[in-house]
Amino acid sequence: MATDCPASDAVQSLESTSSEVQSLRVAIETDVDPTSSLFMEWERLAGQRLFLAPRWLLTWWKHYRQPGSQLLIVTIRDNNGWLIGLTPWFRRRSWWGGDEIQMLGSGEVCSDYLSVLVKPGEQDHVVRAIAEFLPRQFASVDRFFFEGLDASDTVMHDLAGVMRQQDYEVKQLPQLDSYRLALPATWDEWVSQLSRSRRHRVRQLWRNQFDTGKATIHIADEATLDQGFSILVDLHQKRRNQMGQPGCFASKRFHSFLQEAAREHLASGQLRLQWIELEGRPIAVEMDLEEGDTLMHYCSGIAIDCDYARPGWLGLTAAIRHAIESGKTTFDFLRGDEGYKSHWRGQPVPMMNLEFIPPTFSAKVRSQVRGSVRLAKQQAKRLLRRSAKSEQTEGHSSDEG
């Protein structure tokens, strides 16, 4: 592999750094303007994968960027200049973690199915180009940590395999499963698949609440988005606080991120923010994201003083009915181990985190420290689970029963 600058100079010249790898052009971008050609190329490469698109990830970067951290978009182009691969990463440094590269969208936002973007048919070339590029340009990095990955992601598994051949230690770390519900062609067919008791209750709820007009469904548009988002924050926080949890919106960063992301995805036609009113009062709210033939259930809330009306059931079944009747084939509950997901016939999708540790003394020492901390946390969690359920995953969380 020929390179335009030595690895030791990569950090100082990131914006102009590029390399030729097996006739491919590999470059680093540290700034992506929404009006730039790269933004549009990135959108095309991401396709319908919302959590990998710049609209989601650069909004995350705007709100979660820490002092001293750096956007790190590695682009891979063929010899005609077409973008065939892209890494949505950032670089950060902490006193105990050292120099790390991670995925945009990580942390409390819980972006699922993160990965490296690759044009179909170019996976082997892109993976090898990245694997050859990383050790040369990022020799000082102590850790590559990628979370929220589909455990069947062949791109990330292939990258892990090539990095392992270069003496990197590769760790596949546990992550909570995601849950997906395969949708039939009709609402009646889906209801008939439920258990007898649940089927009866769903039909009764719809007859008594929606069919009588007592309960009404409201969908946010440009004029009512702020109203719907306020309902989401209010009902979510009250429900979480009642359960002894801080709630997603206790984080000011999360609040501001999701509010802007909601506006962005409403404009792109990928947001469905729904709230249910019972006799004029909001009792359930769902923020779902449209991804091709999939509706993703991201965040929700219910009123804490009307269990008799089953607000969680009303909200969730209304969202599922919309998904079916709009031609969706999948309802994705996303990551988290809440029991209601399997009760509604969601099937687990194994998820994982990946960690690459370079073969340097500093990286290995820091890895050993992280391993000890991780083990202590796991033991503490096991003790807590003996007396209480594991806390709801922050980010995309739900209140359905």
Side-chain angles (χ1 to χ4, degrees), residues 250-401:
S251 165
K252 293 182 179 179
R253 286 182 184 229
F254 181 83
H255 188 291
S256 58
F257 157 75
L258 195 61
Q259 190 166 29
E260 182 169 346
R263 287 195 297 268
E264 290 284 335
H265 290 83
L266 179 67
S268 66
Q270 295 169 290
L271 175 78
R272 186 176 188 273
L273 179 54
Q274 155 204 289
W275 70 94
I276 309 295
E277 292 186 4
L278 183 62
E279 298 178 337
R281 173 196 170 201
I283 62 164
V285 59
E286 312 269 333
M287 179 175 165
D288 299 328
L289 299 168
E290 307 257 2
E291 187 181 77
D293 61 3
T294 299
L295 187 66
M296 301 188 297
H297 182 57
Y298 186 76
C299 191
S300 67
I302 60 173
I304 61 176
D305 57 353
C306 63
D307 289 347
Y308 66 91
R310 290 192 177 271
W313 284 43
L314 291 174
L316 185 60
T317 57
I320 291 174
R321 184 163 189 168
H322 159 77
I324 293 171
E325 294 180 349
S326 62
K328 305 294 184 189
T329 60
T330 305
F331 188 87
D332 197 330
F333 293 100
L334 299 175
R335 200 188 328 165
D337 57 1
E338 301 82 10
Y340 78 89
K341 297 178 179 180
S342 57
H343 293 160
W344 291 108
R345 300 302 176 91
Q347 297 300 309
V349 177
M351 303 288 284
M352 67 176 181
N353 298 335
L354 277 180
E355 186 177 60
F356 301 164
I357 306 300
T360 64
F361 177 76
S362 171
K364 291 178 179 179
V365 169
R366 293 182 189 278
S367 177
Q368 290 175 351
V369 172
R370 279 191 301 271
S372 299
V373 172
R374 188 181 298 127
L375 180 60
K377 287 183 177 179
Q378 290 172 350
Q379 292 173 338
K381 285 181 179 179
R382 280 195 290 268
L383 292 174
L384 289 173
R385 284 178 178 176
R386 291 176 184 175
S387 58
K389 288 184 178 180
S390 60
E391 183 170 336
Q392 171 98 2
T393 302
E394 289 297 336
H396 45 69
S397 60
S398 183
D399 298 298
E400 286 76 19

Side-chain angles (χ1 to χ4, degrees), residues 3-16:
T3 181
D4 295 335
C5 67
S8 59
D9 295 333
V11 175
Q12 286 76 14
S13 56
L14 278 173
E15 291 185 322
S16 61

Side-chain angles (χ1 to χ4, degrees), residues 134-262:
L134 295 186
R136 294 174 182 248
Q137 301 292 17
F138 304 119
S140 65
V141 169
D142 296 301
R143 182 196 191 206
F144 296 82
F145 180 65
F146 308 128
E147 69 172 79
L149 314 178
D150 188 326
S152 64
D153 186 334
T154 59
V155 174
M156 297 307 296
H157 279 296
D158 285 356
L159 181 59
V162 179
M163 298 307 290
R164 191 180 284 112
Q165 292 173 8
Q166 298 185 97
D167 296 326
Y168 279 63
E169 181 183 3
V170 175
K171 298 180 181 180
Q172 182 171 326
L173 305 173
Q175 179 56 273
L176 294 175
D177 289 344
S178 167
Y179 282 78
R180 290 180 186 152
L181 171 65
L183 299 175
T186 68
W187 163 255
D188 287 337
E189 186 179 351
W190 177 71
V191 173
S192 70
Q193 295 174 358
L194 302 174
S195 66
R196 176 182 292 183
S197 60
R198 193 165 284 247
R199 182 167 65 240
H200 172 73
R201 289 175 182 174
V202 167
R203 287 171 175 162
Q204 185 179 53
L205 275 174
W206 276 75
R207 283 196 307 268
N208 294 344
Q209 306 294 359
F210 291 122
D211 293 349
T212 62
K214 292 180 180 179
T216 53
I217 302 172
H218 301 261
I219 308 299
D221 57 18
E222 187 175 351
T224 60
L225 178 60
D226 288 344
Q227 177 188 359
F229 193 83
S230 294
I231 293 171
L232 175 65
V233 174
D234 180 58
L235 295 188
H236 176 88
Q237 288 301 113
K238 286 179 178 177
R239 175 61 169 167
R240 294 288 114 191
N241 294 164
Q242 182 192 48
M243 298 169 67
Q245 300 171 12
C248 301
F249 299 101
S251 165
K252 293 182 179 179
R253 286 182 184 229
F254 181 83
H255 188 291
S256 58
F257 157 75
L258 195 61
Q259 190 166 29
E260 182 169 346

Side-chain angles (χ1 to χ4, degrees), residues 12-86:
Q12 286 76 14
S13 56
L14 278 173
E15 291 185 322
S16 61
T17 299
S18 60
S19 304
E20 290 288 336
V21 187
Q22 298 178 353
S23 78
L24 301 180
R25 186 76 173 175
V26 183
I28 298 171
E29 302 287 346
T30 59
D31 183 46
V32 181
D33 189 277
T35 63
S36 67
S37 59
L38 178 57
F39 186 96
M40 292 183 283
E41 289 179 294
W42 183 351
E43 279 197 321
R44 284 196 294 269
L45 192 61
Q48 296 178 339
R49 291 169 290 182
L50 185 148
F51 288 133
L52 283 170
R55 194 180 300 272
W56 181 267
L57 293 178
L58 293 181
T59 302
W60 180 92
W61 176 244
K62 176 181 176 180
H63 293 279
Y64 281 90
R65 179 179 185 176
Q66 297 281 357
S69 60
Q70 185 177 46
L71 190 66
L72 200 66
I73 307 299
V74 179
T75 60
I76 302 92
R77 298 179 182 276
D78 63 18
N79 53 16
N80 293 315
W82 294 104
L83 185 68
I84 62 171
L86 182 145

